[in-house]
Amino acid sequence: MKYDYLINQPRPASLRPKMSAVDRAAQFSAFAALVGLDEQMDETARLVGSKIELSEDEIEVLNRKFQVLAQRLNEDEERPQVKVCYFVPDERKDGGAYVTKVGTVKRIDEVFFKLLFTDGAEICVSDILDFNITE
């Protein structure tokens, strides 16, 4: 045969260092063609709620509660503590969730329509679903 002389020849040495078995196996391991697909699917499946639009009657009730709160802030030396249910928009998609905060009111910002707390928290009045003075 034409190449019989090669059968008994030693294998030529490579100039490159020998690859470890772990590195060789990594070349043939499973490949994620759609990187980030699982995270995107989880984000899409995550449920968010929508903001509730208040009726005229519910807005009137909230306005009366704000008047009582404003009066308490002007008259009392102690600041009132309130329990507020309000809407927090989601950072990644349309919608959000309602959360409850209990805290001491510092003042009502009538310029930016916010409820300011002594711990530095601020809640937009338009996001408030309901609140009660707890003390």
Side-chain angles (χ1 to χ4, degrees), residues 61-74:
V61 169
L62 269 181
N63 285 338
R64 278 190 242 127
K65 288 182 178 184
F66 271 110
Q67 288 172 353
V68 170
L69 179 61
Q71 187 177 10
R72 293 263 318 258
L73 284 168
N74 289 335

Side-chain angles (χ1 to χ4, degrees), residues 71-124:
Q71 187 177 10
R72 293 263 318 258
L73 284 168
N74 289 335
E75 292 175 356
D76 295 343
E77 290 181 19
E78 291 185 25
R79 295 190 159 88
Q81 189 171 23
V82 296
K83 181 177 181 179
V84 183
C85 179
Y86 64 102
F87 185 76
V88 177
D90 193 89
E91 295 178 356
R92 295 188 211 145
K93 60 202 271 189
D94 289 339
Y98 280 93
V99 295
T100 302
K101 174 177 179 49
V102 177
T104 304
V105 177
K106 183 177 180 181
R107 68 184 179 94
I108 300 171
D109 186 340
E110 295 176 5
V111 175
F112 296 105
F113 302 106
K114 292 183 177 183
L115 197 57
L116 306 176
F117 290 84
T118 55
D119 63 0
E122 299 179 357
I123 300 174
C124 289

Side-chain angles (χ1 to χ4, degrees), residues 34-44:
L34 300 173
V35 175
L37 178 65
D38 291 337
E39 292 84 8
Q40 191 66 24
M41 288 175 59
D42 291 343
E43 177 63 23
T44 302

